[in-house]
Amino acid sequence: QVQLVESGGGLVQAGGSLRLSCTASGRSFSTYFMGWFRQAPGKERELVAGISRTDENANYVGAVKGRFTISRDNAKNTLYLQMASLKPEDTAVYYCAASALTSAYYADTYHYWGQGTQVTVSS
């Protein structure tokens, strides 16, 4: 098993930046494909970005491409999401998740979830 704890959320003005972190404990972090999801009120949870075990491949949902960067430090058991040029529509609870699969792009293919961190972008 792996336990995930997100941090770094908060309130920011449109155009601002935030960096989310997700610290993992338990089984080896480097063996998991990792993802960041978000869920806005009244909407389904959506994948924001995913990253391979060795940080070689990253994928993003179209709405955040060019603005968000996912990365990981396996030595520190930590996943990051650097968010720039934030928009009000980025407001959501952001979750990190771990999948035992080689790649995973749907919520039901992830096995472990953090508790979430709120990101609010004011206009």
Side-chain angles (χ1 to χ4, degrees):
Q1 275 196 336
V2 62
Q3 293 78 42
L4 304 171
V5 179
E6 302 96 335
S7 62
L11 174 64
V12 64
Q13 287 189 331
S17 300
L18 279 176
R19 188 176 81 156
L20 305 183
S21 298
C22 172
T23 302
S25 59
R27 286 191 59 188
S28 181
F29 174 72
S30 64
T31 66
Y32 292 96
F33 185 95
M34 298 297 296
W36 284 101
F37 286 77
R38 67 185 179 186
Q39 188 167 20
K43 295 188 177 182
E44 292 188 356
R45 191 171 296 189
E46 65 169 351
L47 178 68
V48 174
I51 189 167
S52 63
R53 297 169 181 174
T54 57
D55 199 11
E56 291 178 348
N57 295 297
N59 292 276
Y60 302 88
V61 68
V64 308
K65 274 185 180 178
R67 300 189 298 121
F68 290 12
T69 303
I70 187 172
S71 62
R72 65 191 297 167
D73 186 336
N74 287 340
K76 295 183 178 179
N77 287 352
T78 304
L79 176 73
Y80 303 100
L81 185 68
Q82 180 68 49
M83 305 185 293
S85 302
L86 282 161
K87 304 175 181 180
E89 52 263 43
D90 295 318
T91 296
V93 177
Y94 283 71
Y95 299 88
C96 72
S99 174
L101 303 177
T102 302
S103 63
Y105 300 103
Y106 299 95
D108 61 2
T109 59
Y110 282 79
H111 303 90
Y112 303 104
W113 293 84
Q115 82 290 347
T117 186
Q118 177 71 47
V119 171
T120 302
V121 184
S122 63
S123 57

